Amino acid sequence: MPIEWNEADQVFHLYNKKVSYLIQIVYGKYPAHLYWGRRVQVLQPSSILSFKGRAFSPTTEPDDLKFSLDILPQEYPAFGNGDFRKPAYLLRTHDGSTITEFVYDSHEILKGKRPLKGLPSSYIEDDSEADTLVITMVDSILGIGLNLNYTIYRDLDVITRSASFEHLGSYAIEIHKCMSMSVDFHESNWDWLHLHGTWARERHIERQPLLHGIQSISSTRGASSHQHNPFLALLSKDATEELGDVYGISLLYSGNFQASIEVDPFDTTRISIGINPFDFIWLNKPGEMFQTPEAVMVYSSEGIGGMSRTFHKLLRTRVCRGVYRDKTRPILINNWEATYFNFTEKILKELADVAKGLEIELFVLDDGWFGHRDNDKSSLGDWVVNKKKLPHGIKGLADYIQNKGMQFGLWVEPEMVSPDSNLYRKHPDWCLHVPGRSRTLSRNQLVLDLSREEVCDFLIRTLTNIFSSAPISYVKWDMNRNMTEVGSAALPPEMQKETAHRYMLGLYRILETLTERFPEILFESCSGGGGRFDPGILYYMPQTWTSDDTDAVERLKIQYGTSIVYPAITMGAHVSDVPNHQVGRMTPIQMRCHVAMAANLGFELSVGKLSNEDKSVIVEQIRLYHQIKEIVLFGDQYRLLSPFEGMDTAWMYVTPSQEQAVVFYYKTLATPNPPFFRLKLRGLNPKLKYRINNAEHPFYGDELMQIGKDMPLIKKDYSSFIFHIKAI
Ligand code: DGJ
């Protein structure tokens, strides 16, 4: 059993082969954090903590003046009893106070892992895969229980955490803050790394030394956002891609979040992640329970790359679900950048005809097929086919595509409503708004109020009808604005601040229902590209449109940054036209293909206008993709050269058996008279002999990793190579 309770020392030890996590109940009351990191054996865990009286640090234990919650490393700290750092939670009680006294009451150690009600969570397929510890704390005056839930996976270096309040008392309380986890490290000599960006420039990497005080990232946009990803990592100063200690935390949630780090004057570091407490208040009534989203905590002693590979495996195999979890995805063509809103059935059929000739497998009809939507000013909410554009309906087009031997996919943006729509005219109060206030538009649209049950039910009905009306094998679920005037016409004043979280619960209910009802449909989520690329959404939809920026050079940074947490199989990547629609850059078709082939390959261009030469490159690359896609989508990724550091980018994927690998190398701008260059590979079996692209001369794995692969001298901008490596 990898969770042990040492009663004498009052210490819990959660461990697997590589990781230990130690918690001590101090004074029989306070869950203190002792350790998280590489697997350890500890003879006397209770001796880990020692205290020194600190001026201005109050004590809750009159007989021990050295003790203070202000300096105790804690598991789920409160505010108001002497700890002046950022608390994990804050409640406002019926008497107006925010003082609570939750103390240890009991605990339970369980085999396996329980799902979270109404929220996404990582899962197990067999009880032997994980063990769970629930520590219950109680505030006896309020009559409220606080459960701290911990799960440790047996074969993954992952601990998951969440918290829940169970109200058994008599008066309603307000939850103003309730993080999913909090941990106090005993030192602060770390860097932190996070992913930031904006539309078309998502998930760029930033690494900074920690400073005293608070540093944090967050979203208040009602979505996890393009701007920050619900993830951060602490890195030892010497951590590289392959070496050093790395602690990554990520949140399975698609709405407002906050991840923060506080370094105190004694150089301890508190990190936490959870729902953003800003503008959030949840009314917890007697008899009700409030459950936080789940946080995933990954420890790696093998650098940033080791952390990424653990996240990849967890997300790919124990967060993503459904029939597509373990399947490669069809190569698609999407009409968006080829036509935008200007299409007819004839144009779409021509696009599909050419795509079929290029051996593309799935045709996706994007925005503009419903209502009178000829631009982005109308019709969201009116999910009725535009017969002027598609006289034979969705079914007519889908049948045509299917008869060609291709699959058919459809774009929807269900969470939105255009003011110019029948839905809005009929139900003006179905959008997020505050009565009497203006309704701020973004992309000419408003956000439907998914905190309302009837709105969610309407969407489930409408989408069920659409998805069953034609042979639809793929759905692109878009979401193109963030929330403003966040309020619900259906909630009383004291519950208005619940709207944003209730929206997420509504969205998750819709997605759970539809994905269960249509298990054969491959769902791809999208929010103007990667504005909601998070582990929560992946629980329902196993891939995300990575970015609206399809330029091959920009995509190197976006896909490299995304891979810090998310595996290739969760990323949609398309080959698009040149000059590129976002940056105007001209890149060769081969490089555009090579970038998109490092994920779920797709196309989004006017295939009819391609030269014959470009068409044959596409066919050649699609054939190559079929040979390597399983390695890319299910292999272990090693990042070799970073696009954030120079003109060269390289990454590779290795099968779990280490018998095959595929290396992608990209050169953006060529260097005149360049130095010789050997690319050092990773993840191979040092003892195996490998052939590269079937060349006659083999190499040992350690040769390729230690001495490196000799690379050609490149005299051309935007060059790229793929090396398929096979053990002999
Ligand atoms: C934003 C998406 O990211 C694009 O790919 C496209 O689907 C448009 N929305 C359509 O409005």
Side-chain angles (χ1 to χ4, degrees):
M1 178 72 98
I3 299 181
E4 280 171 8
W5 166 235
N6 175 339
E7 178 123 36
D9 278 353
Q10 299 273 292
V11 169
F12 297 103
H13 188 178
L14 290 71
Y15 62 88
N16 60 24
K17 280 193 206 105
K18 293 212 209 133
V19 178
S20 282
Y21 192 101
L22 290 151
I23 303 163
Q24 182 184 3
I25 307 295
V26 175
Y27 278 119
K29 299 193 235 178
Y30 312 112
H33 180 74
L34 296 188
Y35 175 78
W36 172 30
R38 194 187 288 254
R39 170 74 197 270
V40 287
Q41 297 179 73
V42 188
L43 271 180
Q44 259 193 307
S46 60
S47 66
I48 294 176
L49 291 179
S50 65
F51 301 107
K52 196 171 178 338
R54 304 282 185 182
F56 285 83
S57 289
T59 185
T60 45
E61 307 306 309
D63 295 336
D64 183 356
L65 296 180
K66 285 184 183 159
F67 177 85
S68 171
L69 293 172
D70 200 22
I71 46 169
L72 181 72
Q74 293 179 70
E75 283 294 315
Y76 205 70
F79 177 76
N81 331 83
D83 186 343
F84 298 103
R85 296 166 290 180
K86 255 180 178 267
Y89 65 99
L90 190 73
L91 311 182
R92 188 165 185 271
T93 59
H94 63 282
D95 56 8
S97 157
T98 51
I99 299 306
T100 56
E101 282 176 82
F102 283 93
V103 293
Y104 170 82
D105 175 74
S106 58
H107 70 264
E108 232 186 318
I109 296 174
L110 310 158
K111 273 242 140 295
K113 180 176 196 294
R114 298 172 185 157
L116 302 188
K117 198 164 165 267
L119 283 165
S121 58
S122 62
Y123 59 90
I124 49 167
E125 290 196 331
D126 184 291
D127 270 356
S128 66
E129 286 181 19
D131 287 270
T132 296
L133 165 69
V134 183
I135 299 177
T136 300
M137 323 238 316
V138 169
D139 181 311
S140 54
I141 294 180
L142 295 175
I144 295 179
L146 164 59
N147 294 324
L148 306 181
N149 309 305
Y150 300 80
T151 293
I152 180 156
Y153 276 83
R154 186 193 57 203
D155 298 326
L156 285 166
D157 301 338
V158 170
I159 290 170
T160 64
R161 283 187 59 179
S162 74
S164 54
F165 282 102
E166 250 179 294
H167 202 320
L168 306 169
S170 320
Y171 302 99
I173 54 151
E174 291 172 356
I175 301 175
H176 286 236
K177 179 176 188 181
C178 186
M179 303 309 272
S180 297
M181 57 74 66
S182 180
V183 159
D184 288 340
F185 287 80
H186 298 223
E187 63 279 320
S188 67
N189 197 21
W190 306 101
D191 285 343
W192 70 298
L193 182 145
H194 65 103
L195 305 171
H196 70 101
T198 181
W199 175 79
R201 196 150 45 74
E202 297 93 335
R203 289 172 298 286
H204 282 208
I205 298 172
E206 194 160 84
R207 177 176 179 165
Q208 295 284 329
L210 285 188
L211 303 173
H212 284 103
I214 294 165
Q215 35 253 283
S216 78
I217 50 165
S218 61
S219 168
T220 50
R221 293 173 170 264
S224 47
S225 87
H226 296 91
Q227 283 69 15
H228 293 288
N229 202 255
F231 155 82
L232 64 77
L234 290 187
L235 321 177
S236 57
K237 290 284 178 191
D238 58 355
T240 62
E241 267 299 304
E242 301 304 322
L243 300 169
D245 285 326
V246 175
Y247 297 83
I249 56 168
S250 159
L251 190 68
L252 273 84
Y253 191 59
S254 314
N256 294 336
F257 76 94
Q258 184 191 71
S260 78
I261 307 176
E262 178 169 6
V263 179
D264 79 2
F266 307 114
D267 290 345
T268 67
T269 305
R270 172 168 293 175
I271 59 171
S272 66
I273 197 165
I275 292 179
N276 194 341
F278 177 76
D279 207 30
F280 166 85
I281 302 172
W282 190 274
L283 197 66
N284 193 214
K285 298 189 197 113
E288 290 180 355
M289 161 156 154
F290 181 79
Q291 170 67 57
T292 71
E294 180 171 292
V296 171
M297 303 162 64
V298 170
Y299 165 70
S300 158
S301 59
E302 289 163 18
I304 305 165
M307 173 199 72
S308 298
R309 287 185 287 281
T310 302
F311 271 122
H312 291 182
K313 197 157 182 205
L314 180 85
L315 293 176
R316 204 179 64 228
T317 65
R318 292 295 179 266
V319 172
C320 289
R321 301 175 298 165
V323 292
Y324 273 99
R325 186 189 75 177
D326 304 323
K327 270 198 201 170
T328 59
R329 320 279 159 84
I331 298 173
L332 65 80
I333 181 149
N334 177 305
N335 73 306
W336 180 242
E337 287 201 4
T339 67
Y340 293 105
F341 294 100
N342 296 323
F343 58 81
T344 57
E345 191 178 87
K346 184 165 170 284
I347 292 175
L348 297 178
K349 285 180 174 172
E350 281 166 8
L351 208 55
D353 294 345
V354 185
K356 175 67 187 167
L358 297 174
E359 300 175 20
I360 293 172
E361 300 159 317
L362 163 70
F363 180 90
V364 180
L365 172 56
D366 210 279
D367 195 355
W369 57 266
F370 51 92
H372 57 278
R373 192 161 166 90
D374 294 325
N375 50 45
D376 61 19
K377 293 199 171 63
S378 82
S379 304
L380 292 169
D382 296 347
W383 299 104
V384 178
V385 72
N386 178 340
K387 287 269 175 139
K388 275 197 206 134
K389 287 183 181 176
L390 300 175
H392 303 98
I394 292 293
K395 171 111 171 69
L397 180 66
D399 284 345
Y400 177 83
I401 304 284
Q402 211 187 26
N403 291 337
K404 296 189 78 62
M406 293 174 85
Q407 293 175 295
F408 177 77
L410 193 65
W411 176 98
V412 287
E413 192 179 356
E415 299 163 64
M416 299 291 150
V417 64
S418 308
D420 178 8
S421 68
N422 294 333
L423 183 70
Y424 189 69
R425 283 183 280 271
K426 193 166 167 204
H427 295 290
D429 63 336
W430 270 20
C431 65
L432 295 178
H433 70 283
V434 175
R437 300 280 176 197
S438 322
R439 302 177 181 195
T440 305
L441 295 177
S442 179
R443 209 195 188 207
N444 308 301
Q445 62 202 52
L446 295 163
V447 184
L448 282 176
D449 178 2
L450 302 197
S451 75
R452 295 177 73 153
E453 215 172 306
E454 70 271 47
V455 177
C456 298
D457 290 340
F458 161 79
L459 289 178
I460 291 173
R461 271 195 317 276
T462 309
L463 293 165
T464 298
N465 289 340
I466 298 171
F467 298 165
S468 11
S469 69
I472 294 172
S473 334
Y474 162 103
V475 165
K476 177 173 172 188
W477 184 292
D478 208 347
M479 196 281 277
N480 283 304
R481 66 158 290 177
N482 292 139
M483 296 178 185
T484 54
E485 292 89 30
V486 184
S488 172
L491 290 173
E494 64 278 16
M495 289 169 75
Q496 284 297 320
K497 295 291 124 195
E498 298 178 12
T499 309
H501 181 55
R502 284 188 179 273
Y503 179 101
M504 294 319 307
L505 297 176
L507 173 65
Y508 289 149
R509 177 166 79 84
I510 297 171
L511 291 173
E512 183 71 33
T513 312
L514 291 172
T515 49
E516 211 170 83
R517 226 170 249 184
F518 298 95
E520 301 300 328
I521 292 183
L522 169 61
F523 284 85
E524 174 159 347
S525 78
C526 173
S527 171
R532 204 163 57 182
F533 201 139
D534 58 67
I537 216 79
L538 289 172
Y539 183 71
Y540 305 95
M541 305 193 257
Q543 65 187 58
T544 301
W545 176 225
T546 313
S547 175
D548 274 348
D549 193 340
T550 49
D551 171 62
V553 176
E554 287 300 307
R555 268 293 182 124
L556 291 175
K557 285 187 180 154
I558 295 169
Q559 291 177 204
Y560 189 98
T562 303
S563 80
I564 293 287
V565 182
Y566 306 94
I569 197 167
T570 61
M571 297 184 217
H574 298 176
V575 175
S576 63
D577 275 323
V578 286
N580 175 267
H581 292 196
Q582 288 74 36
V583 293
R585 189 176 283 126
M586 300 291 293
T587 49
I589 188 78
Q590 171 153 310
M591 178 171 179
R592 280 175 276 150
C593 287
H594 284 181
V595 174
M597 285 160 73
N600 292 301
L601 173 63
F603 292 82
E604 189 167 333
L605 75 177
S606 322
V607 274
K609 295 190 192 140
L610 288 171
S611 67
N612 286 338
E613 206 184 327
D614 279 2
K615 280 186 187 161
S616 41
V617 174
I618 288 181
V619 172
E620 192 188 318
Q621 295 308 318
I622 285 184
R623 289 186 185 159
L624 173 60
Y625 185 67
H626 286 304
Q627 289 169 34
I628 60 170
K629 63 186 179 186
E630 299 228 353
I631 312 171
V632 172
L633 302 179
F634 304 112
D636 289 324
Q637 183 174 2
Y638 294 82
R639 289 178 295 262
L640 307 177
L641 297 169
S642 165
F644 295 97
E645 286 165 17
M647 296 297 169
D648 302 273
T649 300
W651 48 58
M652 65 184 288
Y653 306 85
V654 185
T655 58
S657 68
Q658 294 174 304
E659 279 169 10
Q660 289 202 58
V662 55
V663 179
F664 292 77
Y665 169 77
Y666 314 90
K667 175 95 183 167
T668 47
L669 296 186
T671 310
N673 198 12
F676 291 111
F677 168 46
R678 303 188 73 89
L679 181 64
K680 292 188 177 166
L681 308 190
R682 296 270 176 271
L684 300 175
N685 182 331
K687 298 206 173 84
L688 284 182
K689 278 191 212 150
Y690 294 93
R691 271 194 221 291
I692 303 179
N693 288 350
N694 292 325
E696 213 176 298
H697 178 65
F699 301 90
Y700 276 113
D702 59 357
E703 202 179 337
L704 290 171
M705 293 192 289
Q706 304 310 324
I707 303 175
K709 168 171 180 2
D710 189 31
M711 297 294 282
L713 288 181
I714 294 168
K715 276 202 177 169
K716 209 163 158 243
D717 293 347
Y718 312 129
S719 300
S720 59
F721 300 89
I722 291 180
F723 303 110
H724 186 178
I725 298 181
K726 287 186 207 157
I728 299 173

